[in-house]
Amino acid sequence: MPDHKDLPLTGPEVGSLWMTYQKMTMLLQMMKHFAQTSETPGYHQFLAGQVGEIQSFAEEIRNIFTGDGIIIPVGFTDQDVDLDAPALYNDVFGVSWFRIMTKVMMGMSVLHLGEATRDDVISYYERNLTYAKKMYIASTKLLMENSAFAPGPVVTPPQEVEFVQSKSYMSGTSLFQKTRPINTVEVLYLHQGIEINQVGAELMTGFAQAAREPDVQQYFARGKNLAYSCIDTFAAILKESDIQPAMSPWGRTTRSTRAPFSDKLMMYCTNLLSGFSLGSNAIGTSFSMRTDLPMKMTLIAAQIYDFAKDGGKLMVKYKWMEEPFQAEDRAALLKT
């Protein structure tokens, strides 16, 4: 393979690095606040330790772009965080939120690694993926050690292998036949939906409490209600099969109304998690073998999509949405 200095970045590589830069700079500013305001020794050490790591990932993208003569995106800067603001969330929530973000990082790193061809970009996403996996394990362990995390619901251990004998296995809610209990694959994605939306609901609570613009504040309140609706739907399906949903003490929003983050940053974070929730929902739908579950999850996905779309409109209204780098407009160049 030729040395990367002899190869230009491809369009997919530029796009993936641009997306990663937005995410990493947002993550950096939020982690600065969590580290600044954390008081519990174990949590503080963990949160503060991530700031330098995340900063180095953002800096590496800047170096790659500079080396290829590409302008540096704006992303999120020190102007998007108020380090003098009191804690908006407690320590448990800061670690819980970061744990969810490591899931986002793992998924995106695999996706971007699959499109990378230049050795420095491949190396970047390999390190990014390794870091995300390591921090997912570390954050999960930290929360469990402090009784701040509940693993997924437990089911009776299977004793034999079975094969589907009837088409009724794939039937959902019906007036004429009993619905089968959900299987463990379906439990997996329902539990993940509850987990994501628990963190999302608390995140939206704090964002709504601190947002500066009234319509943005209303948008976050709508997001909180949507997250609770998703939790109720997924939990009800589990309870129908006598499975008690695992609800973790994810941490709480404080009484502070002083925004530690800019409305722009909070809107981007919400948009990012909405996209992750849509992707998770789609995967869960594709692996479900009971016809009523995809229907319910599709209805939820439609609500999340509308929510994300309206968020995009708000970001455009306030000029907060940074454009990804564009391909050349050849028609306009010809006219010139």
Side-chain angles (χ1 to χ4, degrees):
M1 180 182 291
D3 188 275
H4 72 260
K5 294 179 181 178
D6 300 323
L7 296 172
L9 288 171
T10 65
E13 287 170 337
V14 173
S16 69
L17 290 169
W18 183 92
M19 290 177 64
T20 305
Y21 188 79
Q22 302 293 322
K23 179 184 66 194
M24 282 298 180
T25 52
M26 176 214 73
L27 184 58
L28 174 62
Q29 303 309 327
M30 292 189 72
M31 291 302 285
K32 283 180 181 178
H33 169 71
F34 288 130
Q36 179 79 8
T37 57
S38 61
E39 298 179 345
T40 310
Y43 290 130
H44 174 76
Q45 183 180 12
F46 177 82
L47 292 166
Q50 309 318 311
V51 174
E53 294 278 359
I54 297 165
Q55 192 163 17
S56 68
F57 280 114
E59 183 64 35
E60 189 169 350
I61 293 178
R62 285 196 288 269
N63 292 337
I64 292 173
F65 278 164
T66 299
D68 277 58
I70 297 173
I71 191 170
I72 307 300
V74 174
F76 299 91
T77 68
D78 291 344
Q79 295 180 347
D80 293 297
V81 62
D82 179 3
L83 293 180
D84 293 325
L88 186 59
Y89 305 96
N90 66 5
D91 290 354
V92 173
F93 181 80
V95 177
S96 301
W97 173 82
F98 180 69
R99 179 178 174 272
I100 293 297
M101 287 304 301
T102 61
K103 289 189 175 188
V104 177
M105 290 169 65
M106 284 191 283
M108 297 298 286
S109 293
V110 170
L111 175 65
H112 295 325
L113 182 59
E115 293 298 323
T117 53
R118 214 172 77 170
D119 58 357
D120 58 336
V121 181
I122 290 173
S123 177
Y124 176 84
Y125 283 113
E126 284 181 327
R127 291 194 301 277
N128 200 292
L129 179 58
T130 299
Y131 170 74
K133 290 191 296 182
K134 180 180 177 182
M135 289 304 105
Y136 171 78
I137 294 169
S139 57
T140 302
K141 183 178 179 181
L142 178 61
L143 291 168
M144 291 188 69
E145 287 175 345
N146 288 275
S147 301
F149 176 78
V154 177
V155 299
T156 304
Q159 299 298 311
E160 59 184 341
V161 175
E162 296 185 15
F163 288 84
V164 177
Q165 303 295 325
S166 169
K167 292 180 181 179
S168 63
Y169 183 85
M170 303 183 72
S171 299
T173 303
S174 173
L175 296 174
F176 307 104
Q177 64 183 14
K178 183 180 178 180
T179 304
R180 68 160 174 82
I182 56 176
N183 60 43
T184 51
V185 174
E186 291 158 348
V187 171
L188 161 66
Y189 291 106
L190 290 168
H191 170 68
Q192 179 165 278
I194 291 172
E195 183 180 87
I196 294 170
N197 282 284
Q198 273 190 278
V199 175
E202 201 62 47
L203 186 74
M204 293 298 97
T205 299
F207 283 2
Q209 197 166 290
R212 298 171 178 85
E213 300 294 341
D215 50 356
V216 174
Q217 192 173 51
Q218 292 170 10
Y219 179 74
F220 292 142
R222 174 186 166 192
K224 179 180 72 171
N225 292 332
L226 177 57
Y228 281 135
S229 176
C230 292
I231 293 170
D232 291 342
T233 299
F234 297 147
I237 297 171
L238 289 172
K239 290 177 180 178
E240 287 171 3
S241 295
D242 293 318
I243 297 174
Q244 189 63 32
M247 298 290 186
S248 296
W250 289 106
R252 298 289 295 172
T253 305
T254 68
R255 296 175 63 87
S256 174
T257 57
R258 178 173 169 179
F261 313 118
S262 66
D263 283 7
K264 170 192 169 185
L265 184 148
M266 293 191 288
M267 285 296 300
Y268 175 80
C269 180
T270 303
N271 183 267
L272 178 67
L273 291 179
S274 295
F276 179 67
S277 184
L278 276 173
S280 177
N281 193 293
I283 294 173
T285 299
S286 65
F287 282 101
S288 175
M289 299 178 70
R290 219 176 77 176
T291 54
D292 61 321
L293 299 186
M295 292 173 62
K296 291 178 180 179
M297 297 178 90
T298 298
L299 289 174
I300 288 174
Q303 295 178 62
I304 297 172
Y305 175 79
D306 287 340
F307 175 71
K309 182 176 68 174
D310 290 343
K313 291 177 181 177
L314 270 178
M315 294 178 76
V316 170
K317 172 184 175 181
Y318 288 106
K319 296 181 174 58
W320 294 333
M321 184 177 288
E322 186 174 351
E323 288 187 20
F325 296 141
Q326 306 289 317
E328 299 88 344
D329 187 343
R330 298 296 181 184
L333 291 173
L334 286 172
K335 289 180 181 179
T336 303

PDB file of all heavy atoms in Angstrom, residues 188-221:
ATOM      1  N   LEU A 188     -33.336  -8.491  24.439  1.00  0.00           N
ATOM      2  CA  LEU A 188     -32.109  -7.713  24.257  1.00  0.00           C
ATOM      3  C   LEU A 188     -32.409  -6.310  23.744  1.00  0.00           C
ATOM      4  O   LEU A 188     -31.957  -5.308  24.319  1.00  0.00           O
ATOM      5  CB  LEU A 188     -31.175  -8.451  23.291  1.00  0.00           C
ATOM      6  CG  LEU A 188     -30.055  -7.641  22.628  1.00  0.00           C
ATOM      7  CD1 LEU A 188     -29.048  -7.177  23.673  1.00  0.00           C
ATOM      8  CD2 LEU A 188     -29.369  -8.450  21.541  1.00  0.00           C
ATOM      9  N   TYR A 189     -33.170  -6.207  22.664  1.00  0.00           N
ATOM     10  CA  TYR A 189     -33.388  -4.905  22.046  1.00  0.00           C
ATOM     11  C   TYR A 189     -34.408  -4.060  22.802  1.00  0.00           C
ATOM     12  O   TYR A 189     -34.326  -2.829  22.798  1.00  0.00           O
ATOM     13  CB  TYR A 189     -33.795  -5.093  20.578  1.00  0.00           C
ATOM     14  CG  TYR A 189     -32.643  -5.614  19.764  1.00  0.00           C
ATOM     15  CD1 TYR A 189     -32.593  -6.934  19.329  1.00  0.00           C
ATOM     16  CD2 TYR A 189     -31.554  -4.793  19.487  1.00  0.00           C
ATOM     17  CE1 TYR A 189     -31.505  -7.415  18.612  1.00  0.00           C
ATOM     18  CE2 TYR A 189     -30.460  -5.271  18.786  1.00  0.00           C
ATOM     19  CZ  TYR A 189     -30.439  -6.582  18.345  1.00  0.00           C
ATOM     20  OH  TYR A 189     -29.356  -7.052  17.656  1.00  0.00           O
ATOM     21  N   LEU A 190     -35.357  -4.713  23.486  1.00  0.00           N
ATOM     22  CA  LEU A 190     -36.285  -3.957  24.317  1.00  0.00           C
ATOM     23  C   LEU A 190     -35.547  -3.348  25.512  1.00  0.00           C
ATOM     24  O   LEU A 190     -35.777  -2.187  25.874  1.00  0.00           O
ATOM     25  CB  LEU A 190     -37.415  -4.860  24.797  1.00  0.00           C
ATOM     26  CG  LEU A 190     -38.410  -5.305  23.721  1.00  0.00           C
ATOM     27  CD1 LEU A 190     -39.305  -6.416  24.249  1.00  0.00           C
ATOM     28  CD2 LEU A 190     -39.258  -4.128  23.244  1.00  0.00           C
ATOM     29  N   HIS A 191     -34.666  -4.141  26.119  1.00  0.00           N
ATOM     30  CA  HIS A 191     -33.886  -3.632  27.253  1.00  0.00           C
ATOM     31  C   HIS A 191     -32.981  -2.481  26.813  1.00  0.00           C
ATOM     32  O   HIS A 191     -32.865  -1.470  27.516  1.00  0.00           O
ATOM     33  CB  HIS A 191     -33.043  -4.753  27.852  1.00  0.00           C
ATOM     34  CG  HIS A 191     -32.049  -4.265  28.864  1.00  0.00           C
ATOM     35  ND1 HIS A 191     -32.415  -3.742  30.089  1.00  0.00           N
ATOM     36  CD2 HIS A 191     -30.686  -4.180  28.820  1.00  0.00           C
ATOM     37  CE1 HIS A 191     -31.344  -3.384  30.763  1.00  0.00           C
ATOM     38  NE2 HIS A 191     -30.281  -3.628  30.017  1.00  0.00           N
ATOM     39  N   GLN A 192     -32.367  -2.622  25.649  1.00  0.00           N
ATOM     40  CA  GLN A 192     -31.498  -1.552  25.158  1.00  0.00           C
ATOM     41  C   GLN A 192     -32.293  -0.276  24.913  1.00  0.00           C
ATOM     42  O   GLN A 192     -31.825   0.825  25.196  1.00  0.00           O
ATOM     43  CB  GLN A 192     -30.796  -1.986  23.874  1.00  0.00           C
ATOM     44  CG  GLN A 192     -29.885  -0.914  23.298  1.00  0.00           C
ATOM     45  CD  GLN A 192     -28.923  -1.452  22.259  1.00  0.00           C
ATOM     46  OE1 GLN A 192     -27.886  -2.001  22.568  1.00  0.00           O
ATOM     47  NE2 GLN A 192     -29.288  -1.295  21.003  1.00  0.00           N
ATOM     48  N   GLY A 193     -33.523  -0.430  24.397  1.00  0.00           N
ATOM     49  CA  GLY A 193     -34.373   0.737  24.186  1.00  0.00           C
ATOM     50  C   GLY A 193     -34.705   1.436  25.488  1.00  0.00           C
ATOM     51  O   GLY A 193     -34.720   2.673  25.562  1.00  0.00           O
ATOM     52  N   ILE A 194     -34.984   0.660  26.535  1.00  0.00           N
ATOM     53  CA  ILE A 194     -35.265   1.240  27.849  1.00  0.00           C
ATOM     54  C   ILE A 194     -34.034   1.958  28.386  1.00  0.00           C
ATOM     55  O   ILE A 194     -34.114   3.085  28.897  1.00  0.00           O
ATOM     56  CB  ILE A 194     -35.719   0.141  28.831  1.00  0.00           C
ATOM     57  CG1 ILE A 194     -37.099  -0.392  28.430  1.00  0.00           C
ATOM     58  CG2 ILE A 194     -35.757   0.679  30.263  1.00  0.00           C
ATOM     59  CD1 ILE A 194     -37.556  -1.599  29.222  1.00  0.00           C
ATOM     60  N   GLU A 195     -32.886   1.318  28.250  1.00  0.00           N
ATOM     61  CA  GLU A 195     -31.638   1.876  28.768  1.00  0.00           C
ATOM     62  C   GLU A 195     -31.310   3.211  28.117  1.00  0.00           C
ATOM     63  O   GLU A 195     -31.010   4.202  28.803  1.00  0.00           O
ATOM     64  CB  GLU A 195     -30.514   0.872  28.513  1.00  0.00           C
ATOM     65  CG  GLU A 195     -29.165   1.268  29.052  1.00  0.00           C
ATOM     66  CD  GLU A 195     -28.123   0.208  28.752  1.00  0.00           C
ATOM     67  OE1 GLU A 195     -27.520   0.262  27.662  1.00  0.00           O
ATOM     68  OE2 GLU A 195     -27.923  -0.669  29.595  1.00  0.00           O
ATOM     69  N   ILE A 196     -31.387   3.271  26.803  1.00  0.00           N
ATOM     70  CA  ILE A 196     -31.077   4.503  26.077  1.00  0.00           C
ATOM     71  C   ILE A 196     -32.042   5.621  26.465  1.00  0.00           C
ATOM     72  O   ILE A 196     -31.649   6.766  26.700  1.00  0.00           O
ATOM     73  CB  ILE A 196     -31.121   4.265  24.554  1.00  0.00           C
ATOM     74  CG1 ILE A 196     -29.991   3.311  24.124  1.00  0.00           C
ATOM     75  CG2 ILE A 196     -31.016   5.585  23.791  1.00  0.00           C
ATOM     76  CD1 ILE A 196     -30.113   2.850  22.695  1.00  0.00           C
ATOM     77  N   ASN A 197     -33.325   5.271  26.554  1.00  0.00           N
ATOM     78  CA  ASN A 197     -34.323   6.298  26.822  1.00  0.00           C
ATOM     79  C   ASN A 197     -34.342   6.746  28.275  1.00  0.00           C
ATOM     80  O   ASN A 197     -34.748   7.874  28.570  1.00  0.00           O
ATOM     81  CB  ASN A 197     -35.709   5.805  26.390  1.00  0.00           C
ATOM     82  CG  ASN A 197     -35.901   5.898  24.884  1.00  0.00           C
ATOM     83  OD1 ASN A 197     -36.108   6.981  24.355  1.00  0.00           O
ATOM     84  ND2 ASN A 197     -35.798   4.772  24.198  1.00  0.00           N
ATOM     85  N   GLN A 198     -33.891   5.890  29.201  1.00  0.00           N
ATOM     86  CA  GLN A 198     -33.739   6.343  30.580  1.00  0.00           C
ATOM     87  C   GLN A 198     -32.713   7.476  30.664  1.00  0.00           C
ATOM     88  O   GLN A 198     -32.949   8.511  31.295  1.00  0.00           O
ATOM     89  CB  GLN A 198     -33.282   5.180  31.466  1.00  0.00           C
ATOM     90  CG  GLN A 198     -34.397   4.339  32.033  1.00  0.00           C
ATOM     91  CD  GLN A 198     -33.859   3.375  33.071  1.00  0.00           C
ATOM     92  OE1 GLN A 198     -33.332   2.316  32.746  1.00  0.00           O
ATOM     93  NE2 GLN A 198     -33.988   3.737  34.324  1.00  0.00           N
ATOM     94  N   VAL A 199     -31.572   7.255  30.036  1.00  0.00           N
ATOM     95  CA  VAL A 199     -30.545   8.300  30.020  1.00  0.00           C
ATOM     96  C   VAL A 199     -31.042   9.519  29.239  1.00  0.00           C
ATOM     97  O   VAL A 199     -30.851  10.667  29.648  1.00  0.00           O
ATOM     98  CB  VAL A 199     -29.234   7.762  29.410  1.00  0.00           C
ATOM     99  CG1 VAL A 199     -28.203   8.876  29.272  1.00  0.00           C
ATOM    100  CG2 VAL A 199     -28.661   6.643  30.277  1.00  0.00           C
ATOM    101  N   GLY A 200     -31.716   9.264  28.111  1.00  0.00           N
ATOM    102  CA  GLY A 200     -32.220  10.355  27.292  1.00  0.00           C
ATOM    103  C   GLY A 200     -33.229  11.225  28.018  1.00  0.00           C
ATOM    104  O   GLY A 200     -33.206  12.456  27.903  1.00  0.00           O
ATOM    105  N   ALA A 201     -34.121  10.599  28.798  1.00  0.00           N
ATOM    106  CA  ALA A 201     -35.133  11.362  29.526  1.00  0.00           C
ATOM    107  C   ALA A 201     -34.489  12.290  30.558  1.00  0.00           C
ATOM    108  O   ALA A 201     -34.886  13.458  30.700  1.00  0.00           O
ATOM    109  CB  ALA A 201     -36.111  10.405  30.215  1.00  0.00           C
ATOM    110  N   GLU A 202     -33.478  11.782  31.263  1.00  0.00           N
ATOM    111  CA  GLU A 202     -32.807  12.614  32.258  1.00  0.00           C
ATOM    112  C   GLU A 202     -31.990  13.714  31.589  1.00  0.00           C
ATOM    113  O   GLU A 202     -31.923  14.850  32.082  1.00  0.00           O
ATOM    114  CB  GLU A 202     -31.908  11.750  33.140  1.00  0.00           C
ATOM    115  CG  GLU A 202     -31.565  12.373  34.477  1.00  0.00           C
ATOM    116  CD  GLU A 202     -32.790  12.612  35.343  1.00  0.00           C
ATOM    117  OE1 GLU A 202     -33.631  11.701  35.475  1.00  0.00           O
ATOM    118  OE2 GLU A 202     -32.908  13.725  35.892  1.00  0.00           O
ATOM    119  N   LEU A 203     -31.365  13.370  30.463  1.00  0.00           N
ATOM    120  CA  LEU A 203     -30.599  14.375  29.714  1.00  0.00           C
ATOM    121  C   LEU A 203     -31.509  15.508  29.268  1.00  0.00           C
ATOM    122  O   LEU A 203     -31.172  16.692  29.403  1.00  0.00           O
ATOM    123  CB  LEU A 203     -29.935  13.720  28.503  1.00  0.00           C
ATOM    124  CG  LEU A 203     -28.977  14.598  27.686  1.00  0.00           C
ATOM    125  CD1 LEU A 203     -27.670  14.810  28.441  1.00  0.00           C
ATOM    126  CD2 LEU A 203     -28.691  13.961  26.321  1.00  0.00           C
ATOM    127  N   MET A 204     -32.696  15.157  28.724  1.00  0.00           N
ATOM    128  CA  MET A 204     -33.648  16.167  28.265  1.00  0.00           C
ATOM    129  C   MET A 204     -34.187  17.001  29.426  1.00  0.00           C
ATOM    130  O   MET A 204     -34.466  18.191  29.264  1.00  0.00           O
ATOM    131  CB  MET A 204     -34.822  15.499  27.540  1.00  0.00           C
ATOM    132  CG  MET A 204     -34.475  14.823  26.217  1.00  0.00           C
ATOM    133  SD  MET A 204     -33.838  15.940  24.948  1.00  0.00           S
ATOM    134  CE  MET A 204     -32.071  15.693  25.157  1.00  0.00           C
ATOM    135  N   THR A 205     -34.310  16.388  30.604  1.00  0.00           N
ATOM    136  CA  THR A 205     -34.772  17.134  31.779  1.00  0.00           C
ATOM    137  C   THR A 205     -33.815  18.280  32.093  1.00  0.00           C
ATOM    138  O   THR A 205     -34.230  19.429  32.301  1.00  0.00           O
ATOM    139  CB  THR A 205     -34.888  16.201  32.998  1.00  0.00           C
ATOM    140  OG1 THR A 205     -35.836  15.169  32.721  1.00  0.00           O
ATOM    141  CG2 THR A 205     -35.327  16.973  34.234  1.00  0.00           C
ATOM    142  N   GLY A 206     -32.515  17.970  32.123  1.00  0.00           N
ATOM    143  CA  GLY A 206     -31.522  19.002  32.398  1.00  0.00           C
ATOM    144  C   GLY A 206     -31.440  20.036  31.291  1.00  0.00           C
ATOM    145  O   GLY A 206     -31.337  21.247  31.553  1.00  0.00           O
ATOM    146  N   PHE A 207     -31.485  19.584  30.050  1.00  0.00           N
ATOM    147  CA  PHE A 207     -31.417  20.505  28.914  1.00  0.00           C
ATOM    148  C   PHE A 207     -32.610  21.473  28.931  1.00  0.00           C
ATOM    149  O   PHE A 207     -32.451  22.679  28.688  1.00  0.00           O
ATOM    150  CB  PHE A 207     -31.396  19.727  27.599  1.00  0.00           C
ATOM    151  CG  PHE A 207     -30.058  19.110  27.266  1.00  0.00           C
ATOM    152  CD1 PHE A 207     -28.970  19.220  28.125  1.00  0.00           C
ATOM    153  CD2 PHE A 207     -29.887  18.397  26.084  1.00  0.00           C
ATOM    154  CE1 PHE A 207     -27.740  18.650  27.818  1.00  0.00           C
ATOM    155  CE2 PHE A 207     -28.649  17.821  25.764  1.00  0.00           C
ATOM    156  CZ  PHE A 207     -27.580  17.950  26.630  1.00  0.00           C
ATOM    157  N   ALA A 208     -33.805  20.939  29.194  1.00  0.00           N
ATOM    158  CA  ALA A 208     -34.989  21.800  29.235  1.00  0.00           C
ATOM    159  C   ALA A 208     -34.895  22.811  30.370  1.00  0.00           C
ATOM    160  O   ALA A 208     -35.332  23.963  30.240  1.00  0.00           O
ATOM    161  CB  ALA A 208     -36.239  20.940  29.401  1.00  0.00           C
ATOM    162  N   GLN A 209     -34.307  22.397  31.466  1.00  0.00           N
ATOM    163  CA  GLN A 209     -34.168  23.248  32.639  1.00  0.00           C
ATOM    164  C   GLN A 209     -33.204  24.402  32.387  1.00  0.00           C
ATOM    165  O   GLN A 209     -33.348  25.490  32.964  1.00  0.00           O
ATOM    166  CB  GLN A 209     -33.643  22.378  33.785  1.00  0.00           C
ATOM    167  CG  GLN A 209     -33.802  22.926  35.177  1.00  0.00           C
ATOM    168  CD  GLN A 209     -33.557  21.839  36.211  1.00  0.00           C
ATOM    169  OE1 GLN A 209     -34.344  20.928  36.360  1.00  0.00           O
ATOM    170  NE2 GLN A 209     -32.439  21.933  36.904  1.00  0.00           N
ATOM    171  N   ALA A 210     -32.214  24.180  31.505  1.00  0.00           N
ATOM    172  CA  ALA A 210     -31.141  25.161  31.350  1.00  0.00           C
ATOM    173  C   ALA A 210     -31.145  25.906  30.013  1.00  0.00           C
ATOM    174  O   ALA A 210     -30.410  26.884  29.865  1.00  0.00           O
ATOM    175  CB  ALA A 210     -29.785  24.455  31.517  1.00  0.00           C
ATOM    176  N   ALA A 211     -31.940  25.456  29.052  1.00  0.00           N
ATOM    177  CA  ALA A 211     -31.915  26.075  27.719  1.00  0.00           C
ATOM    178  C   ALA A 211     -32.288  27.548  27.783  1.00  0.00           C
ATOM    179  O   ALA A 211     -33.113  27.968  28.603  1.00  0.00           O
ATOM    180  CB  ALA A 211     -32.862  25.330  26.778  1.00  0.00           C
ATOM    181  N   ARG A 212     -31.680  28.329  26.917  1.00  0.00           N
ATOM    182  CA  ARG A 212     -31.903  29.785  26.916  1.00  0.00           C
ATOM    183  C   ARG A 212     -33.099  30.185  26.054  1.00  0.00           C
ATOM    184  O   ARG A 212     -33.882  31.043  26.433  1.00  0.00           O
ATOM    185  CB  ARG A 212     -30.636  30.492  26.432  1.00  0.00           C
ATOM    186  CG  ARG A 212     -29.417  30.263  27.334  1.00  0.00           C
ATOM    187  CD  ARG A 212     -28.150  30.798  26.694  1.00  0.00           C
ATOM    188  NE  ARG A 212     -26.983  30.639  27.555  1.00  0.00           N
ATOM    189  CZ  ARG A 212     -26.247  29.545  27.634  1.00  0.00           C
ATOM    190  NH1 ARG A 212     -26.575  28.487  26.898  1.00  0.00           N
ATOM    191  NH2 ARG A 212     -25.196  29.475  28.429  1.00  0.00           N
ATOM    192  N   GLU A 213     -33.219  29.606  24.866  1.00  0.00           N
ATOM    193  CA  GLU A 213     -34.292  29.967  23.942  1.00  0.00           C
ATOM    194  C   GLU A 213     -35.586  29.233  24.316  1.00  0.00           C
ATOM    195  O   GLU A 213     -35.563  28.009  24.513  1.00  0.00           O
ATOM    196  CB  GLU A 213     -33.905  29.624  22.501  1.00  0.00           C
ATOM    197  CG  GLU A 213     -32.661  30.327  21.996  1.00  0.00           C
ATOM    198  CD  GLU A 213     -32.844  31.833  21.876  1.00  0.00           C
ATOM    199  OE1 GLU A 213     -34.011  32.289  21.836  1.00  0.00           O
ATOM    200  OE2 GLU A 213     -31.836  32.550  21.830  1.00  0.00           O
ATOM    201  N   PRO A 214     -36.720  29.939  24.407  1.00  0.00           N
ATOM    202  CA  PRO A 214     -37.979  29.302  24.817  1.00  0.00           C
ATOM    203  C   PRO A 214     -38.398  28.125  23.930  1.00  0.00           C
ATOM    204  O   PRO A 214     -38.847  27.093  24.439  1.00  0.00           O
ATOM    205  CB  PRO A 214     -38.995  30.447  24.732  1.00  0.00           C
ATOM    206  CG  PRO A 214     -38.180  31.686  24.923  1.00  0.00           C
ATOM    207  CD  PRO A 214     -36.867  31.402  24.260  1.00  0.00           C
ATOM    208  N   ASP A 215     -38.262  28.261  22.601  1.00  0.00           N
ATOM    209  CA  ASP A 215     -38.695  27.160  21.732  1.00  0.00           C
ATOM    210  C   ASP A 215     -37.750  25.964  21.846  1.00  0.00           C
ATOM    211  O   ASP A 215     -38.173  24.815  21.680  1.00  0.00           O
ATOM    212  CB  ASP A 215     -38.843  27.614  20.278  1.00  0.00           C
ATOM    213  CG  ASP A 215     -37.627  28.368  19.752  1.00  0.00           C
ATOM    214  OD1 ASP A 215     -36.676  28.623  20.526  1.00  0.00           O
ATOM    215  OD2 ASP A 215     -37.625  28.717  18.552  1.00  0.00           O
ATOM    216  N   VAL A 216     -36.493  26.220  22.142  1.00  0.00           N
ATOM    217  CA  VAL A 216     -35.546  25.130  22.361  1.00  0.00           C
ATOM    218  C   VAL A 216     -35.877  24.427  23.673  1.00  0.00           C
ATOM    219  O   VAL A 216     -35.829  23.196  23.767  1.00  0.00           O
ATOM    220  CB  VAL A 216     -34.093  25.651  22.375  1.00  0.00           C
ATOM    221  CG1 VAL A 216     -33.120  24.548  22.740  1.00  0.00           C
ATOM    222  CG2 VAL A 216     -33.731  26.252  21.016  1.00  0.00           C
ATOM    223  N   GLN A 217     -36.239  25.201  24.676  1.00  0.00           N
ATOM    224  CA  GLN A 217     -36.646  24.643  25.966  1.00  0.00           C
ATOM    225  C   GLN A 217     -37.871  23.731  25.788  1.00  0.00           C
ATOM    226  O   GLN A 217     -37.920  22.616  26.327  1.00  0.00           O
ATOM    227  CB  GLN A 217     -36.967  25.776  26.936  1.00  0.00           C
ATOM    228  CG  GLN A 217     -37.124  25.349  28.381  1.00  0.00           C
ATOM    229  CD  GLN A 217     -37.278  26.546  29.305  1.00  0.00           C
ATOM    230  OE1 GLN A 217     -38.118  27.426  29.060  1.00  0.00           O
ATOM    231  NE2 GLN A 217     -36.483  26.596  30.348  1.00  0.00           N
ATOM    232  N   GLN A 218     -38.839  24.184  25.006  1.00  0.00           N
ATOM    233  CA  GLN A 218     -40.029  23.382  24.737  1.00  0.00           C
ATOM    234  C   GLN A 218     -39.673  22.108  23.968  1.00  0.00           C
ATOM    235  O   GLN A 218     -40.273  21.050  24.190  1.00  0.00           O
ATOM    236  CB  GLN A 218     -41.046  24.213  23.949  1.00  0.00           C
ATOM    237  CG  GLN A 218     -41.646  25.369  24.736  1.00  0.00           C
ATOM    238  CD  GLN A 218     -42.458  26.308  23.872  1.00  0.00           C
ATOM    239  OE1 GLN A 218     -42.743  26.015  22.703  1.00  0.00           O
ATOM    240  NE2 GLN A 218     -42.858  27.441  24.433  1.00  0.00           N
ATOM    241  N   TYR A 219     -38.704  22.220  23.079  1.00  0.00           N
ATOM    242  CA  TYR A 219     -38.277  21.055  22.296  1.00  0.00           C
ATOM    243  C   TYR A 219     -37.692  19.978  23.208  1.00  0.00           C
ATOM    244  O   TYR A 219     -37.989  18.784  23.054  1.00  0.00           O
ATOM    245  CB  TYR A 219     -37.242  21.484  21.251  1.00  0.00           C
ATOM    246  CG  TYR A 219     -36.719  20.351  20.392  1.00  0.00           C
ATOM    247  CD1 TYR A 219     -37.514  19.796  19.386  1.00  0.00           C
ATOM    248  CD2 TYR A 219     -35.440  19.838  20.594  1.00  0.00           C
ATOM    249  CE1 TYR A 219     -37.038  18.759  18.597  1.00  0.00           C
ATOM    250  CE2 TYR A 219     -34.964  18.808  19.810  1.00  0.00           C
ATOM    251  CZ  TYR A 219     -35.762  18.270  18.815  1.00  0.00           C
ATOM    252  OH  TYR A 219     -35.295  17.235  18.036  1.00  0.00           O
ATOM    253  N   PHE A 220     -36.866  20.379  24.165  1.00  0.00           N
ATOM    254  CA  PHE A 220     -36.283  19.410  25.089  1.00  0.00           C
ATOM    255  C   PHE A 220     -37.359  18.787  25.990  1.00  0.00           C
ATOM    256  O   PHE A 220     -37.286  17.603  26.317  1.00  0.00           O
ATOM    257  CB  PHE A 220     -35.196  20.073  25.930  1.00  0.00           C
ATOM    258  CG  PHE A 220     -33.971  20.464  25.155  1.00  0.00           C
ATOM    259  CD1 PHE A 220     -33.300  21.653  25.433  1.00  0.00           C
ATOM    260  CD2 PHE A 220     -33.475  19.653  24.142  1.00  0.00           C
ATOM    261  CE1 PHE A 220     -32.165  22.015  24.725  1.00  0.00           C
ATOM    262  CE2 PHE A 220     -32.349  20.006  23.424  1.00  0.00           C
ATOM    263  CZ  PHE A 220     -31.689  21.194  23.711  1.00  0.00           C
ATOM    264  N   ALA A 221     -38.342  19.577  26.395  1.00  0.00           N
ATOM    265  CA  ALA A 221     -39.446  19.034  27.194  1.00  0.00           C
ATOM    266  C   ALA A 221     -40.215  17.987  26.392  1.00  0.00           C
ATOM    267  O   ALA A 221     -40.623  16.947  26.922  1.00  0.00           O
ATOM    268  CB  ALA A 221     -40.375  20.159  27.636  1.00  0.00           C
TER     269      ALA A 221
END
